[in-house]
Coordinates of all heavy atoms in Angstrom, one line a residue:
M247 N -150.7 185.4 -108.6 CA -149.8 186.0 -107.6 C -148.5 186.3 -108.3 O -148.0 185.6 -109.1 CB -149.6 184.9 -106.5 CG -148.7 185.3 -105.4 SD -148.6 184.1 -104.1 CE -150.1 184.4 -103.2
A248 N -147.9 187.4 -107.9 CA -146.7 187.9 -108.5 C -145.5 187.1 -108.0 O -145.6 186.4 -107.0 CB -146.5 189.4 -108.1
F249 N -144.5 187.1 -108.8 CA -143.2 186.4 -108.5 C -142.7 186.6 -107.1 O -142.5 185.7 -106.3 CB -142.1 186.7 -109.5 CG -140.8 186.0 -109.3 CD1 -140.6 184.8 -109.9 CD2 -139.8 186.6 -108.5 CE1 -139.4 184.1 -109.7 CE2 -138.6 185.9 -108.3 CZ -138.4 184.7 -108.9
E250 N -142.6 187.9 -106.7 CA -142.1 188.3 -105.4 C -143.0 187.7 -104.2 O -142.5 187.3 -103.2 CB -141.9 189.8 -105.3 CG -140.9 190.4 -106.2 CD -141.4 190.6 -107.6 OE1 -142.6 190.5 -107.8 OE2 -140.6 190.8 -108.5
E251 N -144.3 187.8 -104.5 CA -145.2 187.3 -103.5 C -145.1 185.8 -103.3 O -145.1 185.3 -102.1 CB -146.7 187.6 -103.9 CG -147.0 189.1 -103.8 CD -148.4 189.3 -104.4 OE1 -148.6 189.0 -105.6 OE2 -149.2 189.8 -103.6
K252 N -144.9 185.1 -104.4 CA -144.7 183.6 -104.3 C -143.4 183.3 -103.5 O -143.4 182.4 -102.7 CB -144.6 183.0 -105.7 CG -145.9 182.7 -106.3 CD -145.7 182.0 -107.6 CE -147.0 181.7 -108.3 NZ -146.7 180.9 -109.5
V253 N -142.3 184.1 -103.8 CA -141.1 183.8 -103.1 C -141.2 184.1 -101.6 O -140.8 183.2 -100.8 CB -140.0 184.7 -103.7 CG1 -138.7 184.7 -102.8 CG2 -139.6 184.3 -105.1
L254 N -141.9 185.1 -101.2 CA -142.1 185.4 -99.8 C -143.0 184.3 -99.1 O -142.7 183.9 -98.0 CB -142.8 186.8 -99.6 CG -141.9 188.0 -99.9 CD1 -142.7 189.3 -99.8 CD2 -140.7 188.0 -99.0
L255 N -144.0 183.8 -99.9 CA -144.8 182.8 -99.4 C -144.0 181.5 -99.1 O -144.1 180.8 -98.1 CB -146.0 182.5 -100.3 CG -147.0 181.4 -100.0 CD1 -147.7 181.7 -98.7 CD2 -148.0 181.2 -101.1
L256 N -143.2 181.1 -100.1 CA -142.3 179.9 -100.0 C -141.3 180.0 -98.9 O -141.0 179.0 -98.2 CB -141.6 179.6 -101.3 CG -142.5 179.1 -102.4 CD1 -141.8 179.0 -103.7 CD2 -143.0 177.7 -102.0
R257 N -140.8 181.2 -98.6 CA -139.9 181.4 -97.5 C -140.4 181.0 -96.2 O -139.7 180.6 -95.3 CB -139.3 182.8 -97.5 CG -138.3 183.1 -98.6 CD -137.5 184.3 -98.4 NE -136.6 184.5 -99.5 CZ -136.2 185.6 -100.0 NH1 -136.8 186.7 -99.6 NH2 -135.4 185.6 -101.0
R258 N -141.8 181.2 -96.0 CA -142.4 180.8 -94.8 C -142.4 179.3 -94.6 O -142.5 178.8 -93.4 CB -143.9 181.3 -94.8 CG -144.0 182.8 -94.8 CD -145.3 183.4 -94.8 NE -146.4 182.5 -94.4 CZ -147.7 182.7 -94.9 NH1 -148.0 183.7 -95.7 NH2 -148.6 181.9 -94.5
Y259 N -142.2 178.5 -95.6 CA -142.2 177.1 -95.6 C -140.8 176.4 -95.7 O -140.6 175.2 -95.6 CB -143.2 176.5 -96.6 CG -144.6 176.9 -96.3 CD1 -145.1 178.0 -96.9 CD2 -145.4 176.1 -95.4 CE1 -146.4 178.4 -96.6 CE2 -146.7 176.5 -95.1 CZ -147.2 177.7 -95.7 OH -148.5 178.1 -95.4
E260 N -139.8 177.3 -96.1 CA -138.5 176.8 -96.5 C -137.9 175.9 -95.4 O -137.4 174.8 -95.6 CB -137.6 177.9 -96.8 CG -136.3 177.6 -97.3 CD -135.5 178.8 -97.7 OE1 -135.8 180.0 -97.4 OE2 -134.5 178.6 -98.5
Q261 N -137.9 176.4 -94.1 CA -137.2 175.7 -93.0 C -137.9 174.4 -92.7 O -137.3 173.4 -92.5 CB -137.2 176.6 -91.8 CG -136.4 175.9 -90.6 CD -135.0 175.6 -90.9 OE1 -134.3 176.4 -91.5 NE2 -134.5 174.4 -90.6
R262 N -139.2 174.4 -92.8 CA -140.0 173.2 -92.5 C -139.7 172.1 -93.6 O -139.6 170.9 -93.3 CB -141.5 173.5 -92.4 CG -142.3 172.3 -92.1 CD -143.7 172.7 -91.6 NE -144.4 171.5 -91.2 CZ -145.6 171.2 -91.5 NH1 -146.3 172.0 -92.2 NH2 -146.2 170.1 -91.1
V263 N -139.8 172.5 -94.8 CA -139.5 171.6 -95.9 C -138.1 171.0 -95.8 O -137.9 169.8 -95.9 CB -139.7 172.3 -97.3 CG1 -139.1 171.5 -98.4 CG2 -141.2 172.6 -97.5
Y264 N -137.1 171.9 -95.5 CA -135.8 171.4 -95.3 C -135.7 170.4 -94.2 O -135.0 169.3 -94.3 CB -134.8 172.5 -95.1 CG -133.4 172.0 -94.8 CD1 -132.6 171.5 -95.8 CD2 -132.9 172.0 -93.5 CE1 -131.3 171.0 -95.5 CE2 -131.7 171.5 -93.2 CZ -130.9 171.0 -94.2 OH -129.6 170.6 -93.9
S265 N -136.3 170.7 -93.0 CA -136.3 169.8 -91.9 C -136.8 168.5 -92.1 O -136.3 167.4 -91.7 CB -137.0 170.5 -90.7 OG -136.4 171.7 -90.3
I266 N -138.0 168.4 -92.9 CA -138.6 167.2 -93.2 C -137.6 166.4 -94.1 O -137.4 165.2 -93.9 CB -139.9 167.4 -93.9 CG1 -140.9 168.0 -92.9 CG2 -140.5 166.1 -94.6 CD1 -142.2 168.5 -93.5
C267 N -137.1 167.0 -95.1 CA -136.1 166.4 -96.0 C -134.9 165.8 -95.3 O -134.5 164.7 -95.5 CB -135.7 167.3 -97.1 SG -137.0 167.7 -98.3
L268 N -134.4 166.6 -94.4 CA -133.2 166.2 -93.6 C -133.5 165.0 -92.8 O -132.8 164.0 -92.7 CB -132.6 167.3 -92.8 CG -131.4 167.0 -92.0 CD1 -130.2 166.6 -92.9 CD2 -131.0 168.2 -91.1
H269 N -134.7 165.0 -92.1 CA -135.1 163.9 -91.3 C -135.2 162.6 -92.2 O -134.8 161.5 -91.7 CB -136.5 164.2 -90.7 CG -137.0 163.1 -89.9 ND1 -136.5 162.7 -88.6 CD2 -138.0 162.2 -90.1 CE1 -137.2 161.7 -88.2 NE2 -138.1 161.3 -89.1
L270 N -135.7 162.7 -93.4 CA -135.9 161.5 -94.2 C -134.7 161.0 -94.9 O -134.5 159.8 -95.0 CB -137.0 161.8 -95.3 CG -138.4 162.0 -94.7 CD1 -139.4 162.5 -95.8 CD2 -138.9 160.7 -94.1
V271 N -133.8 161.9 -95.3 CA -132.6 161.4 -96.1 C -131.4 161.3 -95.2 O -130.5 160.6 -95.5 CB -132.3 162.3 -97.3 CG1 -133.5 162.2 -98.3 CG2 -132.0 163.7 -97.0
G272 N -131.4 162.1 -94.1 CA -130.3 162.0 -93.1 C -129.0 162.6 -93.5 O -128.0 162.6 -92.7
E273 N -128.9 163.2 -94.7 CA -127.6 163.9 -95.1 C -127.9 165.3 -95.6 O -128.8 165.5 -96.4 CB -126.9 163.1 -96.2 CG -126.5 161.7 -95.8 CD -125.9 160.9 -97.0 OE1 -125.3 161.6 -97.9 OE2 -126.2 159.7 -97.1
E274 N -127.1 166.3 -95.1 CA -127.4 167.6 -95.5 C -127.4 167.9 -97.0 O -128.3 168.6 -97.5 CB -126.4 168.5 -94.7 CG -126.7 170.0 -94.8 CD -126.4 170.7 -96.1 OE1 -125.4 170.3 -96.7 OE2 -127.1 171.6 -96.4
P275 N -126.4 167.5 -97.7 CA -126.4 167.8 -99.2 C -127.7 167.2 -99.9 O -128.3 167.9 -100.7 CB -125.2 167.1 -99.7 CG -124.3 167.0 -98.6 CD -125.2 166.8 -97.4
L276 N -128.1 166.0 -99.6 CA -129.2 165.4 -100.2 C -130.5 166.2 -99.7 O -131.5 166.4 -100.5 CB -129.4 163.9 -99.8 CG -128.3 163.0 -100.5 CD1 -128.5 161.6 -100.0 CD2 -128.4 163.1 -102.0
A277 N -130.5 166.5 -98.4 CA -131.7 167.3 -97.9 C -131.9 168.6 -98.6 O -133.0 169.0 -98.9 CB -131.6 167.4 -96.4
S278 N -130.8 169.3 -98.8 CA -130.8 170.6 -99.5 C -131.3 170.4 -100.9 O -132.2 171.2 -101.4 CB -129.4 171.2 -99.5 OG -129.0 171.6 -98.3
E279 N -130.8 169.4 -101.6 CA -131.3 169.1 -103.0 C -132.8 168.8 -103.0 O -133.5 169.3 -103.9 CB -130.4 168.0 -103.6 CG -130.6 167.8 -105.0 CD -129.7 166.7 -105.6 OE1 -128.7 166.4 -105.0 OE2 -130.1 166.1 -106.7
A280 N -133.2 167.9 -102.1 CA -134.6 167.6 -102.1 C -135.5 168.7 -101.7 O -136.6 168.9 -102.3 CB -134.8 166.4 -101.1
A281 N -135.1 169.5 -100.8 CA -135.9 170.7 -100.3 C -136.0 171.7 -101.5 O -137.0 172.3 -101.7 CB -135.2 171.4 -99.1
E282 N -134.9 171.9 -102.2 CA -134.9 172.8 -103.3 C -135.9 172.3 -104.4 O -136.7 173.1 -104.9 CB -133.5 173.0 -104.0 CG -133.5 173.9 -105.1 CD -132.1 174.1 -105.7 OE1 -131.1 173.7 -105.1 OE2 -132.0 174.6 -106.8
A283 N -135.9 171.1 -104.7 CA -136.8 170.5 -105.7 C -138.2 170.6 -105.2 O -139.1 170.9 -106.0 CB -136.4 169.0 -105.9
A284 N -138.5 170.4 -103.9 CA -139.8 170.5 -103.4 C -140.3 172.0 -103.5 O -141.5 172.2 -103.9 CB -139.9 170.1 -101.9
L285 N -139.5 172.9 -103.2 CA -139.9 174.4 -103.2 C -140.1 174.8 -104.7 O -141.0 175.6 -104.9 CB -138.8 175.2 -102.5 CG -138.8 175.0 -101.0 CD1 -137.5 175.6 -100.4 CD2 -140.0 175.5 -100.3
V286 N -139.3 174.3 -105.6 CA -139.5 174.7 -107.0 C -140.8 174.1 -107.5 O -141.6 174.8 -108.2 CB -138.3 174.1 -107.9 CG1 -138.7 174.2 -109.3 CG2 -137.1 174.9 -107.6
A287 N -141.2 172.9 -107.0 CA -142.4 172.3 -107.4 C -143.6 173.1 -106.8 O -144.6 173.4 -107.5 CB -142.5 170.8 -106.9
L288 N -143.5 173.5 -105.6 CA -144.5 174.3 -105.0 C -144.7 175.7 -105.6 O -145.8 176.2 -105.8 CB -144.2 174.5 -103.5 CG -144.3 173.3 -102.6 CD1 -143.8 173.5 -101.2 CD2 -145.8 172.8 -102.5
F289 N -143.5 176.3 -106.1 CA -143.6 177.5 -106.8 C -144.4 177.5 -108.0 O -145.2 178.4 -108.3 CB -142.2 178.0 -107.1 CG -142.1 179.4 -107.7 CD1 -142.1 180.5 -106.9 CD2 -142.1 179.5 -109.1 CE1 -142.0 181.8 -107.5 CE2 -142.1 180.8 -109.7 CZ -142.0 181.9 -108.9
G290 N -144.3 176.3 -108.7 CA -145.1 176.1 -110.0 C -146.5 175.6 -109.8 O -147.2 175.4 -110.8
D291 N -146.9 175.4 -108.6 CA -148.2 174.8 -108.3 C -149.2 176.0 -107.9 O -149.1 176.5 -106.8 CB -148.1 173.8 -107.1 CG -149.5 173.2 -106.8 OD1 -150.5 173.4 -107.5 OD2 -149.5 172.4 -105.8
P292 N -150.1 176.3 -108.8 CA -151.1 177.4 -108.6 C -152.0 177.1 -107.4 O -152.4 178.0 -106.7 CB -151.9 177.5 -109.8 CG -151.4 176.5 -110.8 CD -150.3 175.7 -110.2
A293 N -152.2 175.8 -107.1 CA -153.1 175.5 -105.9 C -152.4 175.8 -104.6 O -153.0 176.2 -103.7 CB -153.4 174.0 -106.0
F294 N -151.1 175.8 -104.6 CA -150.3 176.1 -103.4 C -150.5 177.6 -103.0 O -150.9 177.9 -101.9 CB -148.8 175.8 -103.6 CG -148.0 176.2 -102.4 CD1 -148.0 175.4 -101.2 CD2 -147.2 177.3 -102.4 CE1 -147.2 175.7 -100.1 CE2 -146.5 177.7 -101.3 CZ -146.5 176.9 -100.1
A295 N -150.3 178.4 -104.0 CA -150.5 179.9 -103.8 C -151.9 180.2 -103.4 O -152.1 181.1 -102.6 CB -150.0 180.7 -105.0
A296 N -152.9 179.6 -104.0 CA -154.3 179.9 -103.8 C -154.9 179.3 -102.6 O -156.0 179.6 -102.2 CB -155.1 179.5 -105.1
G297 N -154.2 178.3 -102.0 CA -154.7 177.5 -100.9 C -154.8 178.3 -99.6 O -154.2 179.3 -99.4
S298 N -155.5 177.7 -98.6 CA -155.5 178.2 -97.3 C -154.2 177.9 -96.6 O -153.4 177.1 -97.1 CB -156.7 177.6 -96.5 OG -156.4 176.2 -96.3
E299 N -154.0 178.4 -95.4 CA -152.7 178.1 -94.7 C -152.6 176.6 -94.4 O -151.6 176.1 -94.6 CB -152.8 178.9 -93.3 CG -151.5 178.7 -92.6 CD -150.3 179.4 -93.2 OE1 -150.4 180.4 -94.0 OE2 -149.2 178.9 -93.0
G300 N -153.7 176.0 -94.0 CA -153.7 174.5 -93.8 C -153.4 173.7 -95.1 O -152.6 172.8 -95.0
E301 N -154.0 174.1 -96.2 CA -153.7 173.5 -97.4 C -152.3 173.6 -97.9 O -151.6 172.7 -98.3 CB -154.7 174.0 -98.5 CG -156.1 173.6 -98.3 CD -157.1 174.4 -99.2 OE1 -156.8 175.5 -99.6 OE2 -158.2 173.8 -99.4
R302 N -151.7 174.8 -97.7 CA -150.3 175.1 -98.1 C -149.4 174.3 -97.2 O -148.4 173.7 -97.6 CB -150.0 176.6 -98.0 CG -150.6 177.4 -99.1 CD -150.0 178.8 -99.2 NE -150.3 179.6 -98.0 CZ -151.3 180.4 -97.9 NH1 -152.1 180.6 -98.9 NH2 -151.5 181.1 -96.8
S303 N -149.7 174.2 -95.9 CA -148.9 173.4 -95.0 C -148.9 171.9 -95.4 O -147.8 171.3 -95.4 CB -149.4 173.6 -93.6 OG -148.6 172.8 -92.7
R304 N -150.1 171.4 -95.7 CA -150.1 170.0 -96.2 C -149.4 169.8 -97.5 O -148.7 168.8 -97.7 CB -151.6 169.5 -96.3 CG -152.2 169.3 -94.9 CD -153.6 168.7 -95.0 NE -154.6 169.6 -95.6 CZ -155.2 170.6 -95.0 NH1 -155.0 170.8 -93.7 NH2 -156.1 171.3 -95.6
S305 N -149.5 170.7 -98.4 CA -148.8 170.6 -99.7 C -147.3 170.7 -99.5 O -146.6 170.0 -100.2 CB -149.3 171.8 -100.6 OG -150.6 171.6 -101.0
A306 N -146.9 171.6 -98.6 CA -145.4 171.7 -98.4 C -144.9 170.4 -97.8 O -143.8 169.9 -98.2 CB -145.1 172.9 -97.5
R307 N -145.6 169.9 -96.8 CA -145.2 168.6 -96.2 C -145.1 167.5 -97.2 O -144.2 166.7 -97.3 CB -146.1 168.2 -95.0 CG -145.6 167.0 -94.3 CD -146.5 166.7 -93.1 NE -147.9 166.5 -93.5 CZ -148.9 167.3 -93.0 NH1 -148.6 168.3 -92.2 NH2 -150.2 167.1 -93.4
A308 N -146.2 167.4 -98.0 CA -146.3 166.3 -99.1 C -145.1 166.5 -100.1 O -144.5 165.5 -100.5 CB -147.6 166.3 -99.7
A309 N -144.9 167.7 -100.5 CA -143.8 167.9 -101.5 C -142.5 167.5 -100.9 O -141.6 166.9 -101.6 CB -143.8 169.4 -102.0
A310 N -142.2 167.9 -99.7 CA -141.0 167.6 -99.0 C -140.8 166.1 -98.9 O -139.7 165.5 -99.3 CB -140.9 168.2 -97.6
V311 N -141.8 165.4 -98.5 CA -141.7 163.9 -98.4 C -141.5 163.3 -99.8 O -140.6 162.4 -99.9 CB -143.0 163.3 -97.7 CG1 -143.1 161.8 -97.8 CG2 -143.1 163.8 -96.3
R312 N -142.3 163.7 -100.7 CA -142.2 163.1 -102.1 C -140.8 163.3 -102.7 O -140.1 162.4 -103.2 CB -143.2 163.8 -103.0 CG -143.2 163.3 -104.4 CD -144.4 163.8 -105.2 NE -144.5 165.3 -105.2 CZ -145.5 165.9 -104.5 NH1 -146.4 165.3 -103.8 NH2 -145.5 167.3 -104.5
H313 N -140.2 164.5 -102.6 CA -138.9 164.8 -103.2 C -137.8 164.2 -102.4 O -136.8 163.7 -103.0 CB -138.7 166.3 -103.4 CG -139.6 166.8 -104.5 ND1 -139.2 166.7 -105.8 CD2 -140.8 167.4 -104.5 CE1 -140.1 167.2 -106.6 NE2 -141.1 167.6 -105.8
A314 N -137.9 164.1 -101.1 CA -136.9 163.5 -100.3 C -136.9 162.0 -100.6 O -135.8 161.4 -100.8 CB -137.2 163.7 -98.8
L315 N -138.0 161.4 -100.7 CA -138.0 159.9 -100.9 C -137.6 159.6 -102.3 O -136.9 158.6 -102.6 CB -139.4 159.4 -100.7 CG -139.9 159.4 -99.2 CD1 -141.3 158.8 -99.1 CD2 -138.9 158.6 -98.3
L316 N -138.0 160.4 -103.3 CA -137.5 160.2 -104.7 C -135.9 160.3 -104.8 O -135.3 159.5 -105.4 CB -138.1 161.3 -105.6 CG -139.5 161.0 -106.1 CD1 -140.0 162.3 -106.8 CD2 -139.6 159.8 -107.0
L317 N -135.4 161.3 -104.1 CA -134.0 161.5 -104.2 C -133.3 160.4 -103.4 O -132.2 159.9 -103.9 CB -133.6 162.9 -103.6 CG -132.1 163.3 -103.7 CD1 -131.7 163.3 -105.2 CD2 -131.9 164.6 -103.1
H318 N -133.8 160.1 -102.3 CA -133.2 159.0 -101.5 C -133.2 157.7 -102.2 O -132.2 156.9 -102.2 CB -134.0 158.9 -100.1 CG -133.3 157.9 -99.2 ND1 -132.1 158.1 -98.6 CD2 -133.8 156.8 -98.6 CE1 -131.8 157.2 -97.8 NE2 -132.8 156.3 -97.8
S319 N -134.3 157.4 -102.9 CA -134.4 156.1 -103.6 C -133.4 156.1 -104.8 O -132.8 155.1 -105.1 CB -135.8 155.8 -104.1 OG -136.2 156.7 -105.0
K320 N -133.2 157.2 -105.4 CA -132.3 157.3 -106.5 C -130.9 157.1 -106.0 O -130.1 156.3 -106.6 CB -132.3 158.7 -107.2 CG -133.5 158.9 -108.1 CD -133.3 160.3 -108.8 CE -134.5 160.7 -109.5 NZ -134.4 162.0 -110.0
E321 N -130.5 157.7 -104.9 CA -129.2 157.6 -104.3 C -129.0 156.2 -103.9 O -127.9 155.7 -104.1 CB -129.0 158.6 -103.1 CG -128.9 160.0 -103.5 CD -127.6 160.3 -104.3 OE1 -126.5 159.7 -104.0 OE2 -127.7 160.9 -105.4
R322 N -129.9 155.5 -103.3 CA -129.8 154.1 -102.8 C -129.6 153.3 -104.0 O -128.8 152.3 -104.0 CB -130.9 153.7 -102.0 CG -130.9 154.3 -100.6 CD -132.0 153.7 -99.8 NE -131.7 152.3 -99.5 CZ -132.6 151.5 -99.1 NH1 -133.9 151.8 -98.9 NH2 -132.3 150.2 -98.9
G323 N -130.3 153.5 -105.1 CA -130.2 152.7 -106.3 C -128.8 152.9 -106.9 O -128.2 151.9 -107.4
F324 N -128.3 154.1 -106.9 CA -126.9 154.4 -107.5 C -125.9 153.7 -106.6 O -124.9 153.1 -107.1 CB -126.6 155.9 -107.6 CG -127.4 156.6 -108.6 CD1 -127.9 157.9 -108.4 CD2 -127.7 156.0 -109.8 CE1 -128.6 158.6 -109.4 CE2 -128.4 156.6 -110.8 CZ -128.9 157.9 -110.6
A325 N -126.0 153.8 -105.3 CA -125.1 153.2 -104.4 C -125.1 151.7 -104.6 O -124.1 151.0 -104.6 CB -125.4 153.5 -102.9
H326 N -126.3 151.1 -104.7 CA -126.4 149.6 -105.0 C -125.7 149.2 -106.3 O -125.0 148.3 -106.3 CB -127.9 149.2 -104.9 CG -128.1 147.8 -105.1 ND1 -127.8 146.9 -104.2 CD2 -128.5 147.1 -106.2 CE1 -128.1 145.6 -104.6 NE2 -128.5 145.7 -105.9
A327 N -126.0 150.0 -107.3 CA -125.4 149.7 -108.6 C -123.9 149.8 -108.6 O -123.2 149.0 -109.2 CB -126.0 150.7 -109.7
R328 N -123.3 150.8 -107.8 CA -121.9 151.0 -107.8 C -121.3 149.8 -107.0 O -120.2 149.3 -107.3 CB -121.5 152.3 -107.1 CG -121.7 153.5 -107.9 CD -121.1 154.7 -107.2 NE -121.8 155.1 -106.0 CZ -122.7 156.0 -105.8 NH1 -123.1 156.7 -106.9 NH2 -123.2 156.2 -104.7
A329 N -122.0 149.4 -105.9 CA -121.5 148.3 -105.1 C -121.5 146.9 -105.8 O -120.7 146.1 -105.6 CB -122.2 148.2 -103.8
H330 N -122.5 146.8 -106.7 CA -122.7 145.5 -107.3 C -122.6 145.5 -108.8 O -122.9 144.5 -109.5 CB -124.1 145.0 -107.0 CG -124.4 144.8 -105.5 ND1 -123.6 144.0 -104.7 CD2 -125.3 145.4 -104.7 CE1 -124.0 144.1 -103.5 NE2 -125.0 144.9 -103.4
G331 N -122.0 146.5 -109.3 CA -122.0 146.6 -110.8 C -120.6 146.8 -111.3 O -120.0 146.5 -112.2

């Protein structure tokens, strides 16, 4: 799939990915960062582009959750270290 086609495909999932990230991390800057990381990961995943609509939807949701939780856990770890270190 060409670069432009992948970008158009990802745009269909961008709002949903962001919404999931925002729900999980609760802060706009962190949600944006997590959503961007999730979309970049999906861009590089050949299975995402080749999948059916349902498979892409599940992959987008999973990537959003994974990246939001990773970022959230890092932020909590940093906050804990700052408070106790």
Side-chain angles (χ1 to χ4, degrees):
M247 180 176 283
F249 180 87
E250 294 81 15
E251 291 174 300
K252 281 186 177 182
V253 170
L254 290 174
L255 180 61
L256 285 170
R257 284 196 178 141
R258 293 178 21 204
Y259 296 92
E260 184 175 18
Q261 183 60 43
R262 183 165 186 223
V263 166
Y264 173 77
S265 295
I266 292 167
C267 291
L268 183 59
H269 177 75
L270 291 172
V271 300
E273 298 178 34
E274 193 281 329
L276 292 178
S278 292
E279 189 177 339
E282 181 179 344
L285 292 167
V286 168
L288 291 170
F289 184 87
D291 181 3
F294 178 77
S298 68
E299 186 67 28
E301 291 167 335
R302 286 193 296 265
S303 181
R304 285 187 294 279
S305 292
R307 182 176 58 243
V311 169
R312 180 173 51 254
H313 287 277
L315 293 178
L316 281 170
L317 185 61
H318 187 64
S319 67
K320 282 183 191 175
E321 286 297 314
R322 287 186 66 199
F324 291 144
H326 181 74
R328 283 191 298 261
H330 300 299

